[in-house]
Amino acid sequence: MARRKKVYEGKAKILYEGPEPGTLVQYFKDDATAFNAEKKDVIEGKGVLNNRLSEFFMNGLNAVGVPTHFLKRLNMREQLIRSCEIIPLEVIVRNVAAGTMSKRLGIPEGERLPRPIIEFCLKDDNLGDPLVAEEHIIAFGWASQQDLDDMIALALRVNDFMCGVMYGVGIRLVDFKIEIGRVWEGDFQRLVIADEISPDSCRLWDIETNEKLDKDVFRRDLGSLTDAYTEVARRLGVMPANSAPLGKPTLVN
Ligand code: 5GP
């Protein structure tokens, strides 16, 4: 079999040419990075868990009519996705103050926000993904006003879906980052949720204990990252194929 052509390699994933035009294969690595790759490690099994968890969230979003790039999972580490043109912005949705918002604005971590707050960061590692205003986005042509309106609407729908799913298994969705891509259909473009949705890109806290079940475990040296992600997968009934059989989501009282 011919070697596949690598299209792009990022910090946590590799994209290969897909089997058909307009498709790509997204491979989840075990590499973990934080603070713009200043902190790095290889965490065995992380890629397998994120592949399964991202499949779970993207499938759910597709099912409730929020379009995503996800087509199907191929194996333990790979999924087939629609190729799209990634808008060079990270879209962050926050329900509870944490991370850079707490640092920047002095709002104590854990304080519930009056409403979901959306932030945009420019995807640029050399600049450390800086926070940008809508004015910058329009003025520099990173997205149009129509794109921005659509991105905000999509991000809020993802937030509602994710908050509900996580609340059902006793987890608070503190915040998350998504990426959005353009898919062209003839002369028309459609926006879809792209990249991944996993504990790498969300803050997830146990509702009862505030235990962190996300990448902050790695960023802040709080214990085993795979244990945290496995716990999220277990509660959602999403387990790697070679471990316990798939179960139903566990409702937490
Ligand atoms: P913060 O701005 O507080 O660092 O991050 C807000 C949320 O977005 C967190 O859930 C964090 O995991 C996610 N996030 C922000 N930037 C990135 C990034 O470059 N990569 C990933 N995977 N997640 C990010």
Side-chain angles (χ1 to χ4, degrees):
M1 204 174 92
R3 266 182 84 79
R4 286 180 305 183
K5 188 169 163 217
K6 195 191 279 187
V7 177
Y8 174 81
E9 178 157 4
K11 290 186 282 253
K13 295 184 295 296
I14 305 174
L15 293 178
Y16 296 99
E17 248 176 18
E20 286 166 31
T23 65
L24 292 169
V25 172
Q26 179 165 256
Y27 175 97
F28 287 76
K29 302 195 276 187
D30 279 343
D31 300 22
T33 62
F35 313 120
N36 206 8
E38 273 169 35
K39 182 175 164 97
K40 287 186 206 170
D41 206 347
V42 175
I43 302 200
E44 206 180 319
K46 180 178 84 84
V48 174
L49 283 156
N50 281 350
N51 186 24
R52 294 297 295 246
L53 283 162
S54 199
E55 171 195 22
F56 176 83
F57 296 126
M58 295 277 184
N59 263 338
L61 287 167
N62 283 337
V64 298
V66 179
T68 81
H69 72 164
F70 180 83
L71 295 171
K72 68 171 180 179
R73 187 170 59 83
L74 297 171
N75 55 47
M76 297 271 282
R77 288 186 182 271
E78 293 179 329
Q79 44 185 247
L80 186 68
I81 58 170
R82 286 189 73 168
S83 158
C84 58
E85 184 187 309
I86 296 283
I87 295 174
L89 296 166
E90 295 187 337
V91 185
I92 293 173
V93 184
R94 300 179 187 272
N95 299 301
V96 175
T100 56
M101 172 182 255
S102 291
K103 254 194 217 118
R104 205 181 298 117
L105 304 180
I107 304 173
E109 261 203 356
E111 194 165 304
R112 175 153 282 283
L113 299 171
R115 62 182 182 88
I117 292 179
I118 298 183
E119 296 174 349
F120 295 97
C121 294
L122 181 64
K123 266 171 66 69
D124 186 328
D125 284 343
N126 292 328
L127 299 175
D129 297 340
L131 183 69
V132 291
E134 293 190 16
E135 286 282 291
H136 298 121
I137 297 172
I138 306 295
F140 296 121
W142 297 320
S144 66
Q145 185 63 58
Q146 182 64 56
D147 288 337
L148 264 182
D149 294 346
D150 293 347
M151 288 166 81
I152 291 170
L154 274 176
L156 289 174
R157 291 180 72 193
V158 173
N159 188 45
D160 283 348
F161 172 80
M162 293 286 296
C163 276
V165 168
M166 300 315 295
Y167 182 75
V169 295
I171 294 174
R172 177 173 295 124
L173 179 65
V174 170
D175 57 30
F176 64 93
K177 181 264 305 184
I178 49 172
E179 297 189 16
I180 294 177
R182 298 188 171 95
V183 173
W184 291 95
E185 280 154 8
D187 284 343
F188 295 96
Q189 70 153 43
R190 205 155 68 87
L191 297 187
V192 298
I193 308 299
D195 191 52
E196 73 180 291
I197 302 181
S198 75
D200 264 10
S201 50
C202 302
R203 281 199 175 90
L204 305 170
W205 296 355
D206 181 88
I207 280 178
E208 297 289 325
T209 64
N210 281 335
E211 183 192 357
K212 292 178 173 48
L213 298 170
D214 57 60
K215 198 166 148 190
D216 275 350
V217 171
F218 170 72
R219 293 188 188 102
R220 302 181 187 186
D221 295 319
L222 299 176
S224 158
L225 193 73
T226 38
D227 284 358
Y229 288 19
T230 302
E231 174 61 11
V232 176
R234 188 193 64 76
R235 291 196 198 184
L236 292 168
V238 177
M239 295 299 276
N242 63 352
S243 62
L246 275 178
K248 293 253 179 284
T250 315
L251 281 172
V252 173
N253 296 320

